[in-house]
Amino acid sequence: MSAAILKSHEKDLGGGFVVRRLLPSAAKQAVGPFIFFDHFGPIDVAPDANHDVRPHPHIGLATVTYLFEGAIDHRDSIGSYQRIAPGAINWMTAGRGIVHSERTPPDLVGQPHRTHGLQLWAALPKAHEEDEPSFTHTPQADIPVVSLDGAVVKVLIGTAFGQTSPVRTYMETVYFDVALQSGSTLRLDGLPAEAAIYPVSGDVLVDGVALAPHTMALLETGTVPVVTAGSWPVQFVVIGGEPLDGHRFLFWNFVSSSKERLSQAADDWSAQRMGQVPGETEFIPLPKAAIRPA
C-alpha cells in the first residue's frame, strides 16, 4: 500500500485547542512541498473558550488553511483581513517575513460552535524563500468539484480528473478533498512524485489495507493506488507534489534552507522588527526554551 505510515502526535496550542500533527515526522520531513500538516477538530467550542492565535511570524513558507466547519478571522502585517470559511483555500506566502493572527470572528465569540479543519505549510523553493509576502483567498465557489461514480473530489490545489484549481503555487503541488460513498472505490491515477493520503473521517482502505484514523500513508506513486470506503461514507485528503529542492531547517514558525536565516528571524522577532498586524497589540513571544535553532 505505502512506503510508510506516519502516526500523529497531539499538541495543545493553548486553551484546550488540541491538534494532531503528522508532518514533519522522523520518517519523512515533507511530502512534496508540504512540510507541516495539522488536523484540528471536530471540536465543540464552549462559549467561554478562547482559541485565538495571537500575532506570530513566519518566513520561508506558505500557510494553507482549509476548514470543514467553523470560521477564522485572518489578519496580517501586509494589511490583509479575511474571514476564512469552510471550503475555501487561503494561501499566505510568508517569504522574507510576515506576521498574522487567527481569531474567532466576533459573531461566534461567546457562542457555542464547532471548528474543524486542516492547516498545512508548504515550504517555498530556495529561489522564492525571500519573496515579498502575500495573501490569496480562493472562495469555495471557485474550487473545481468533480463528481464521479460514488465519489466527489474537490480539487483544492493542482490538477485531477480533468480539472485544475485556480490556486497558484511555486512548484507542482496537489491537494484534494474527497468524499467517498460506502463501498465505493476511487483510483488515484496521475499522482506526482510524492503523495500521501490522510483519512478525515470513516474507514478508509488503500489497496485493500485499512488505514487507521489519525495516520497518514505515503503512497507508492509508481502504481495507481485504489481507495475504498468501508461500511460508511468516508472523507480523506490527498497531498503531494514534486520533492523539495533540498533539506529544510525548522525552528518554531520559521522554515529555511539556511540555519543562519532562522537565527536572523529569531533575532528580528525578538526585537519586533518583522512588522505588526494593524489594530493588534498582542503577540506571541519567541519560545524561551529554544532561543536558537538546533
Side-chain angles (χ1 to χ4, degrees), residues 249 256-264 293-294:
F249 299 99
S256 180
S257 58
S258 163
K259 280 188 179 182
E260 291 73 23
R261 183 65 179 91
L262 298 183
S263 295
Q264 178 189 336

Side-chain angles (χ1 to χ4, degrees), residues 78-98:
I78 59 172
S80 311
Y81 169 59
Q82 178 65 53
R83 182 187 177 105
I84 298 176
I89 281 287
N90 293 268
W91 180 289
M92 183 186 76
T93 299
R96 62 176 176 79
I98 197 168

Side-chain angles (χ1 to χ4, degrees), residues 6 27 36-37 47 64 76 78 99 112 127 137 144 146 161 167 220-221 240-241 244 257 272 274 278 293:
L6 309 183
F36 183 92
F37 186 110
V64 187
D76 62 42
I78 59 172
V99 181
H137 170 78
V146 182
F161 304 102
V167 177
E220 295 282 6
T221 53
L244 282 172
S257 58
Q272 286 293 286
M274 295 184 69

Side-chain angles (χ1 to χ4, degrees), residues 5-286:
I5 300 294
L6 309 183
K7 296 181 179 180
S8 64
H9 64 274
E10 292 189 350
K11 185 172 179 63
D12 191 334
L13 301 185
F17 187 68
V18 177
V19 301
R20 291 177 289 276
R21 185 159 297 167
L22 281 298
L23 292 173
S25 76
K28 184 74 171 169
Q29 185 184 49
V31 178
F34 292 114
I35 200 162
F36 183 92
F37 186 110
D38 269 4
H39 179 202
F40 54 91
I43 301 169
D44 290 308
V45 182
D48 60 348
N50 181 5
H51 291 170
D52 285 5
V53 180
R54 295 168 293 159
H56 58 282
H58 293 285
I59 66 163
L61 59 88
T63 63
V64 187
T65 307
Y66 182 67
L67 295 180
F68 304 113
E69 296 180 87
I72 297 171
D73 272 358
H74 165 95
R75 291 180 176 85
D76 62 42
S77 55
I78 59 172
S80 311
Y81 169 59
Q82 178 65 53
R83 182 187 177 105
I84 298 176
I89 281 287
N90 293 268
W91 180 289
M92 183 186 76
T93 299
R96 62 176 176 79
I98 197 168
V99 181
H100 75 132
S101 66
E102 298 159 294
R103 296 189 181 272
T104 302
D107 58 297
L108 295 181
V109 173
Q111 302 294 322
H113 60 279
R114 281 169 64 85
T115 186
H116 186 201
L118 301 169
Q119 187 170 85
L120 283 60
W121 295 354
L124 300 178
K126 292 178 182 178
H128 295 282
E129 286 184 314
E130 298 298 321
D131 277 10
E132 289 296 307
S134 63
F135 178 81
T136 304
H137 170 78
T138 304
Q140 180 181 20
D142 292 347
I143 299 293
V145 180
V146 182
S147 294
L148 304 167
D149 185 18
V152 175
V153 181
K154 298 177 182 178
V155 186
L156 307 179
I157 298 175
T159 298
F161 304 102
Q163 295 292 320
T164 298
S165 167
V167 177
R168 297 182 63 183
T169 63
Y170 291 85
M171 54 190 288
E172 182 188 13
T173 307
V174 299
Y175 188 7
F176 313 138
D177 176 9
V178 183
L180 200 56
Q181 295 177 9
S182 59
S184 297
T185 62
L186 181 68
R187 292 170 56 86
L188 298 177
D189 200 0
L191 291 175
E194 295 186 349
I197 180 172
Y198 177 77
V200 175
S201 64
D203 299 324
V204 174
L205 291 85
V206 182
D207 294 334
V209 180
L211 181 57
H214 310 149
T215 65
M216 177 180 287
L218 303 179
L219 298 172
E220 295 282 6
T221 53
T223 63
V224 180
V226 177
V227 185
T228 306
S231 302
W232 302 94
V234 303
Q235 183 177 14
F236 62 91
V237 295
V238 177
I239 64 168
E242 64 180 289
L244 282 172
D245 54 352
H247 181 79
R248 291 300 188 273
F249 299 99
L250 289 86
F251 168 62
W252 192 37
N253 298 316
F254 306 138
V255 172
S256 180
S257 58
S258 163
K259 280 188 179 182
E260 291 73 23
R261 183 65 179 91
L262 298 183
S263 295
Q264 178 189 336
D267 290 341
D268 288 344
W269 180 243
S270 294
Q272 286 293 286
R273 290 190 294 260
M274 295 184 69
Q276 289 78 38
V277 176
E280 303 234 23
T281 57
E282 295 182 301
F283 65 92
I284 300 177
L286 191 75

